[in-house]
């Protein structure tokens, strides 16, 4: 069977961030609540002229830099921060990138899980058409409300992946475990700008679904914990991932992992998430990007375990093997520079970004100009968003 998987991967986030020690001071809480209790350091904050489309286009432009765009016949856009109830956000990205007209475009939604479903949808197509490629983008903005319990885990980011036969980075394996249950741990009605979450309940579900999806995966693959070298998790907050990984080891009858082993197996994958917060559909793949960029050892031929969780809920466990020469297809320096060059917001600046309102009556709004990538939201008029390339 022909190998299929991730050929290129690129990550993008806002040029603005809020340090959580600063937020802790404003909220009158101990900063350890965020840095230790959540394992979080900063949150990425989008300015008014940045949305899921601009983040997606900026990530995708980097992912396509070594790819013949004419080979892209499908664009899958995973998000739970959609900008329209009808038109797929991917259509805007398709236009901004100048992709071929012969290209399927669709938007997928199921909380933080839909990018994983997009991968599974793409793989049979690639096996049948090994000369074609699929562009998969996960892009989201996590919002819970000023002063709410979830505020400190807010963030934003996008990951773009080119999926292909004979991939340069990661070959995905066919076995998986998946489970769906109708629960209300996290949701956002159409009329709400911010998400609602039952945090403790959601954390319990995250751990329960990990065990159930892992057991299916282990039964179908015949693999155990020790057959995986590194692990990537959807990361609502990094501390939950560390707790989940300890539970996965316990499920597999391992003693409690030492801090050194825990850091080796999941630590690198959490480094970007600590700096940007939750990015919903992109979160798991932000973790993969961080692992590939930051792990000092050569990861060629190493097997990765992936846990994807979307509230509401759908959970899936699957795996992949990193390919020889993978580093040549990475964008590590660009990611490092992007994070290093971010602007730290004051609390009033953060609140102003957060509280900015787009018109809902069809009136004209020219977006204030902030630092973005190569694409930005320029204006809204007659209920239509207009994007532009940044010179």
């Amino acid at each position: 069977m022909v190998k299929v998987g991730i050929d290129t991967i690129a990550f993008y986030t806002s040029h603005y961030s809020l340090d959580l020690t600063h937020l802790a001071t404003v909220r009158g809480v101990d900063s350890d609540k965020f840095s230790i209790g959540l394992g979080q350091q900063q949150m990425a904050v989008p300015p008014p002229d940045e949305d899921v489309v601009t983040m997606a286009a900026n990530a995708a432009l980097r992912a396509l830099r070594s790819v013949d765009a004419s080979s892209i016949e499908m664009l899958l856009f995973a998000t739970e921060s959609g900008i329209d109830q009808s038109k797929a956000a991917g259509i805007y990205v398709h236009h901004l990138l100048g992709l071929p007209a012969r290209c399927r475009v669709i938007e997928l939604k199921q909380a933080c899980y839909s990018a994983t479903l997009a991968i599974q949808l793409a793989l049979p197509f690639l096996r049948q058409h090994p000369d074609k490629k699929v562009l998969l983008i996960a892009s989201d903005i996590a919002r819970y409300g000023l002063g709410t319990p979830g505020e400190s885990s807010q963030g934003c980011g996008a990951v773009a992946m080119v999926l292909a036969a004979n991939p340069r980075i990661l070959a995905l394996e066919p076995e998986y475990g998946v489970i769906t249950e109708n629960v209300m741990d996290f949701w956002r009605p159409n009329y709400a700008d911010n998400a609602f979450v039952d945090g403790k309940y959601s954390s319990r579900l995250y751990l329960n679904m990990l065990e159930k999806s892992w057991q299916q995966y282990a039964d179908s693959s015949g693999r155990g914990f020790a057959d995986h070298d590194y692990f990537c998790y959807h990361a609502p907050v990094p501390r939950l991932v560390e707790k989940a990984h300890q539970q996965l080891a316990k499920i597999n009858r391992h003693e409690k992992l030492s801090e050194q082993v825990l850091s080796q197996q999941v630590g690198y994958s959490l480094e970007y998430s600590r700096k940007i917060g939750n990015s919903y559909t992109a979160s798991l793949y932000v973790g993969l990007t961080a692992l590939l960029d930051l792990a000092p050892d050569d990861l060629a031929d190493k097997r990765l375990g992936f846990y994807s969780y979307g509230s509401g809920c759908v959970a899936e466990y699957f795996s992949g093997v990193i390919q020889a020469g993978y580093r040549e297809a990475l964008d590590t320096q660009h990611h490092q520079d992007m994070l290093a060059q971010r602007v730290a917001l004051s609390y009033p600046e953060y609140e102003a970004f957060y509280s900015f309102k787009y018109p809902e009556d069809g009136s004209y709004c020219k977006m204030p100009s902030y630092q973005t990538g190569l694409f930005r939201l320029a204006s809204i008029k007659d209920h239509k968003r207009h994007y532009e390339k940044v010179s």
Side-chain angles (χ1 to χ4, degrees):
M1 182 181 294
V2 64
K3 290 182 180 179
V4 289
I6 300 172
D7 190 57
T8 69
I9 189 167
F11 154 60
Y12 177 85
T13 191
S14 166
H15 288 264
Y16 299 91
S17 65
L18 180 69
D19 194 291
L20 292 189
T21 58
H22 183 39
L23 181 63
T25 299
V26 173
R27 295 286 178 251
V29 300
D30 189 333
S31 62
D32 286 353
K33 179 180 180 180
F34 302 149
S35 61
I36 297 176
L38 302 181
Q40 199 73 44
Q41 298 164 358
Q42 293 111 23
M43 71 166 81
V45 185
D49 57 345
E50 188 92 85
D51 66 7
V52 291
V53 169
T54 63
M55 291 194 301
N58 281 300
L61 189 68
R62 300 296 303 184
L64 291 169
R65 69 193 189 283
S66 61
V67 175
D68 179 5
S70 67
S71 65
I72 303 293
E73 277 211 3
M74 191 183 301
L75 193 166
L76 303 175
F77 194 115
T79 186
E80 57 177 281
S81 311
I83 60 170
D84 192 283
Q85 290 282 24
S86 180
K87 184 175 180 178
I91 295 287
Y92 296 98
V93 177
H94 177 275
H95 170 72
L96 290 170
L97 299 177
L99 294 178
R102 180 184 167 88
C103 182
R104 295 183 176 99
V105 180
I106 195 76
E107 184 174 314
L108 302 104
K109 178 183 72 178
Q110 170 33 47
C112 304
Y113 167 73
S114 59
T116 297
L117 174 62
I119 287 178
Q120 299 293 8
L121 290 175
L123 298 186
F125 172 81
L126 294 170
R127 292 189 182 101
Q128 188 174 0
H129 304 281
D131 58 325
K132 305 299 181 184
K133 294 180 172 63
V134 174
L135 175 60
L136 191 165
I137 309 171
S139 182
D140 265 308
I141 298 171
R143 288 173 56 101
Y144 296 102
L146 297 173
T148 63
E151 180 183 26
S152 55
S153 66
Q154 294 175 145
C156 67
V159 172
M161 295 172 274
V162 174
L163 307 178
N166 302 309
R168 287 176 283 176
I169 293 179
L170 182 84
L172 289 157
E173 296 180 298
E175 300 85 8
Y176 62 89
V178 66
I179 185 162
T180 295
E181 290 189 10
N182 181 19
V183 296
M184 293 297 288
D185 60 324
F186 170 99
W187 67 102
R188 181 170 69 86
N190 289 337
Y191 53 78
D193 292 330
N194 303 325
F196 300 94
V197 60
D198 184 339
K200 291 183 179 179
Y201 180 45
S202 190
S203 294
R204 290 199 303 271
L205 282 169
Y206 179 100
L207 297 174
N208 290 341
M209 297 305 139
L210 169 62
E211 181 170 358
K212 292 178 180 180
S213 59
W214 164 267
Q215 195 57 60
Q216 284 188 28
Y217 163 77
D219 290 345
S220 63
S221 67
R223 302 185 193 107
F225 185 84
D227 294 311
H228 303 77
D229 302 285
Y230 296 88
F231 299 80
C232 292
Y233 291 77
H234 167 54
V237 294
R239 187 65 72 216
L240 178 59
V241 170
E242 294 170 342
K243 183 177 181 179
H245 194 57
Q246 289 284 13
Q247 177 167 309
L248 186 63
K250 183 178 180 180
I251 292 168
N252 286 272
R253 300 179 181 177
H254 285 256
E255 294 183 1
K256 183 177 180 180
L257 303 175
S258 68
E259 287 300 316
Q260 181 180 358
V261 172
L262 186 65
S263 178
Q264 172 70 20
Q265 293 183 345
V266 302
Y268 299 117
S269 71
L270 295 175
E271 286 304 305
Y272 289 168
S273 292
R274 295 189 196 280
K275 294 177 172 64
I276 72 166
N278 197 351
S279 54
Y280 291 161
T281 56
S283 173
L284 173 59
Y285 302 98
V286 169
L288 171 60
T289 307
L291 173 63
L292 294 167
D293 284 350
L294 302 177
D297 297 333
D298 184 1
L299 302 182
D301 300 321
K302 301 298 185 182
R303 175 174 287 115
L304 274 56
F306 293 91
Y307 176 52
S308 182
Y309 176 79
S311 292
C313 72
V314 181
E316 181 164 345
Y317 208 95
F318 62 104
S319 63
V321 176
I322 298 179
Q323 303 300 286
Y326 70 97
R327 282 182 169 146
E328 296 176 12
L330 299 182
D331 205 13
T332 303
Q333 191 60 54
H334 179 76
H335 298 150
Q336 297 293 300
D337 292 345
M338 176 180 61
L339 291 171
Q341 294 166 7
R342 291 188 301 171
V343 175
L345 296 172
S346 67
Y347 179 81
E349 289 171 326
Y350 154 67
E351 188 170 306
F353 277 10
Y354 189 92
S355 302
F356 185 90
K357 294 293 185 182
Y358 298 120
E360 296 181 354
D361 60 358
S363 60
Y364 175 70
C365 177
K366 181 179 180 181
M367 290 300 144
S369 184
Y370 294 94
Q371 185 179 358
T372 63
L374 295 178
F375 305 96
R376 64 181 292 271
L377 175 61
S379 64
I380 299 177
K381 184 180 180 182
D382 298 328
H383 304 288
K384 302 172 186 176
R385 294 194 180 206
H386 300 277
Y387 296 93
E388 66 180 8
K389 294 182 180 180
V390 178
S391 60

